[in-house]
Structures are given as C-alpha cells and as structure tokens.
Amino acid sequence: MGVVIEGTGSYLPEIVLTNKDMEMIVDTSDEWITTRTGIKERRVAPKGMASSDLGKEAILDACKDAKISSEELDFILCATITPDKFFPSTACLIEHKLGLKGKVAFDISAACSGFLYGLEIARNLIETNTYKKGAVVAAECMSRITDYTDRSTCVLLGDGAGAAIVSSSEEEGIIGSFLASDGGYEELLHAPAGGSRLPSSFYTVENRLNFMKMEGQPLFKIAIITMCEAINKVLDKYGMKKEDISLVIPHQANLRIILGVAKNLKMPAEKFFINIEKYGNMSAACVPIALDHAHRKGLIKKGDYILTVSFGGGLTWASNLIKWTKGD
Ligand code: UT7
C-alpha cells in the first residue's frame, strides 16, 4: 500500500508589504534586501486574522484540488510556531472552523521543518492502516512575532498557509523522509519569552523578548550544510540519485542559501523551485505553498520524483522523497 498526495492548496493574505514599505519602517533598502535575501515583498494577515483562519482556507483549497469534501478527512495535522493560542491546538481550531468534529487533530512544533515532519507522521499514520486520509497544513502568522524595530529580521518574514491532502493508495507516493534535530543551538533562533521559562510580563514586553530573535550569520552556514545532508541522506536511504529528481521544493529563508545548496550538491539551480521574492520566509508554510504553486504551474508531472527540504528553529532539518501521482 502507498501514501499519495491527493491535492495541494494554499492561502496568502491580501496585504502586501514591499521592500519600499520596509524602507519606511526601518533603516533598510530595497537593494540590501534584494541582494542579501532575494526577497521583494511579503504578505501580512490583517488584524483579527490568525493562523487557524489561514490554515482553514489552505485546507479547503487542497480539498478542492483533491476533489474531496473536508468531511472525508480522518486527521488534521497543523505545523505552526505561531498558533492562535498556546492551547487549544490550532489544528483543533481549524477542525471546528471547517465544521468538523471527532477527527484526530494536533499541532506539530518543528518550526520551518514542521510541514515535512507532518508529511512523515501522516505517511506513518496511513501506512500502518490506522487512518485512510488526512490534511497536513502549515499555517503561520510570522508578523505576530516579528519585531518591526529589528531590521535584521523584520524584512525577512511573512504570513501564509499551505496544505496537502494525504491518502492511502495502490500507488507509491510519499516514499519516505529524513528528519533530524539539534536542540543545542536554541539561542540562534527563538522567541525568548512567553513560555514557561520566561512568562510574558511588563519586563519581557518592554524588552521585546516575546519577538523572534535570530543570529543570521551562523545559521546561514548551518542551513546549507544541514539541507545538503537531508537531501543526501534521504536519497541514500531509498537508493536514488540526484539525477532522478525532477524538482526540489526548498524552504525559502534566503535565495543565497538555496543557491548554495544547489551548488554544494552540484545540482542545477533550475531544479530548485523559488518563490521567495514574493512571500519571504513564512516558516513552516514556505514548503507547502511552494509545492502548491509548483503543482499549479504544471512544473510537476505524473511519475516525477521530487524532494522537499527544510531547515529551521530547533534546530530542525528534513527532506521528503515523493513520487508525484497526480495528472495524466
Ligand atoms: O528560516 C530558517 C532560519 N533562518 C535562516 O536560515 C536565515 C539565515 N541567515 C540569513 O539568511 C542571513 O544571515 C541574513 C539575511 C539574516 C543576513 O544577511 P548577512 O549577509 O548574513 O548580513 P549580516 O547579518 O552579516 O549583516 C551585514 C550588515 C550589517 O552591518 P555592518 O555590521 O556590516 O555595518 C548589518 O547591520 O548588514 C546590516 N543589516 C542590514 N542593512 C540594511 C542587517 N539587516 C539589514 C537590513 N537592511 N535589513
């Protein structure tokens, strides 16, 4: 029995923040942001909209692509580091917003690698014959944990959601994954306050400790090394070669990181799907949105082998090897 991606979907809020807009907010320039990151603009959810709202729309879009009703879903797995609330889980809130109940619903906290972790969990839930069909969604309102006085992070981040419907099938689809983590680098990428270590207080708010903090330079190097490792490991594990891969769907943290991964692996940069210029870094939502856009642009054909690859807070890094089964 196989586990296939039956449909993909995405949702991006309408408000666009361009690099010119960022120039009005912090001491930066379109030239700096473009040359250092590849980003030209990003989306921001309006006041009152939260990750579950974005996630619900992405799942509905994916259900439409899969030609199913959301009632057919046995489970909803939501990858997010910007949940609506600490609890209940954003997955439960999405379930309710979809008008569903009684499903399996829980969140996955693996930062930018959350969607890839989710696909592997979903594959196992289905392959063990426990469930037949589910949605893996990644929904992020990064703008809510962005410090708009910190030019080194605020120009990078954006909001969005992407989803995949995953089902049992006679065909082979999600072949397998490589997942990894290292908690030793906690302080390179984190939100220091708001949890049980340093609960929110006047002090934490005054000192802007509830926002995301990042040490970009060391992360840049680790990102390239770990993403190359993830790709090599998953290919080795399943006896495949780089030449067998038609398209790589990478996490979109920095264009220079993606090109660095392609160069180190001696793979053509054209094999890496890139949409960072339009949306920036949306944490876990980057990969499923890129997958959905690549699919809708007709860049993935039935029978193609594709890879996802990501790196992010945790640290976590991961790759999924997928045989595409949609299309004629
Ligand atoms: O989502 C997964 C986790 N995240 C990542 O993987 C991100 C990895 N890191 C990066 O992508 C890059 O390190 C950044 C894009 C974050 C930064 O690029 P960089 O080339 O590493 O810049 P830098 O941090 O070395 O800063 C270079 C200069 C500094 O000025 P001085 O000290 O040389 O005078 C910064 O203050 O650029 C300055 N700078 C800016 N200037 C204009 C930093 N941010 C900005 C900005 N606009 N927005």
Side-chain angles (χ1 to χ4, degrees):
M1 189 184 65
V3 180
V4 299
I5 293 185
E6 230 186 347
T8 64
S10 56
Y11 179 78
L12 289 145
E14 281 172 19
I15 301 170
V16 177
L17 266 187
T18 63
N19 287 352
K20 285 280 166 214
D21 295 325
M22 298 311 297
E23 287 178 1
M24 317 280 274
I25 300 172
V26 284
D27 179 16
T28 190
S29 64
D30 175 39
E31 201 264 331
W32 190 95
I33 304 171
T34 307
T35 53
R36 299 287 179 127
T37 71
I39 300 167
K40 292 300 261 182
E41 56 187 52
R42 67 290 290 144
R43 301 297 176 95
V44 176
K47 202 169 172 216
M49 191 181 265
S51 294
S52 68
D53 302 311
L54 274 57
K56 173 199 153 188
E57 296 302 331
I59 290 183
L60 286 176
D61 196 35
C63 285
K64 213 166 151 191
D65 187 46
K67 299 187 179 66
I68 64 154
S69 151
S70 61
E71 281 168 29
E72 294 174 49
L73 299 173
D74 299 319
F75 60 80
I76 295 168
L77 310 185
C78 180
T80 185
I81 53 166
T82 51
D84 291 29
K85 303 174 178 181
F86 261 144
F87 71 93
S89 71
T90 303
C92 284
L93 301 178
I94 292 174
E95 177 196 37
H96 180 65
K97 281 176 201 275
L98 288 168
L100 307 172
K101 59 168 102 171
K103 310 292 181 183
V104 177
F106 61 92
D107 284 0
I108 298 162
S109 177
C112 308
S113 306
F115 179 78
L116 288 78
Y117 272 57
L119 275 191
E120 181 60 8
I121 296 168
R123 181 177 77 86
N124 282 277
L125 287 174
I126 294 171
E127 234 173 49
T128 51
N129 233 340
T130 315
Y131 299 102
K132 293 262 175 270
K133 197 185 289 293
V136 182
V137 60
E140 300 280 22
C141 283
M142 294 304 288
S143 60
R144 308 305 194 244
I145 58 165
T146 297
D147 183 348
Y148 286 98
T149 66
D150 175 8
R151 69 176 183 174
S152 70
T153 53
C154 73
V155 301
L156 307 172
L157 306 168
D159 300 344
I165 305 301
V166 181
S167 296
S168 68
S169 167
E170 295 301 311
E171 292 178 273
E172 182 180 48
I174 305 171
I175 296 167
S177 310
F178 171 79
L179 311 179
S181 65
D182 185 346
Y185 293 98
E186 172 189 351
E187 294 190 358
L188 290 187
L189 186 50
H190 66 143
S196 56
R197 174 77 54 203
L198 189 57
S200 296
S201 65
F202 283 121
Y203 173 82
T204 66
V205 173
E206 224 167 27
N207 289 282
R208 314 188 79 76
L209 298 174
N210 293 68
F211 293 122
M212 191 196 102
K213 311 280 177 205
M214 186 174 83
E215 298 287 335
Q217 273 199 0
L219 281 176
F220 189 97
K221 292 184 194 115
I222 302 172
I224 295 180
I225 294 168
T226 52
M227 284 165 83
C228 289
E229 179 195 275
I231 288 181
N232 283 329
K233 287 266 164 92
V234 81
L235 288 175
D236 278 358
K237 194 168 164 185
Y238 295 99
M240 305 242 339
K241 295 192 292 293
K242 285 176 273 192
E243 296 71 39
D244 300 327
I245 302 302
S246 306
L247 193 68
V248 181
I249 309 285
H251 175 50
Q252 315 273 321
N254 189 321
L255 177 61
R256 291 187 294 133
I257 292 179
I258 299 172
L259 298 180
V261 171
K263 191 172 167 211
N264 280 14
L265 290 173
K266 297 189 175 59
M267 286 177 80
E270 301 72 51
K271 279 199 177 180
F272 287 69
F273 184 81
I274 293 165
N275 62 0
I276 189 170
E277 69 284 359
K278 292 184 75 169
Y279 310 117
N281 184 348
M282 299 170 286
S283 184
C286 281
V287 169
I289 291 172
L291 177 64
D292 182 48
H293 289 188
H295 160 49
R296 284 172 199 254
K297 279 173 186 258
L299 299 178
I300 317 174
K301 305 269 178 295
K302 189 177 167 79
D304 281 356
Y305 287 98
I306 64 167
L307 283 175
T308 63
V309 65
S310 69
F311 162 80
L315 303 177
T316 59
W317 58 104
S319 179
N320 311 115
L321 173 62
I322 300 164
K323 187 172 183 190
W324 200 250
T325 52
K326 284 180 72 67
D328 310 316

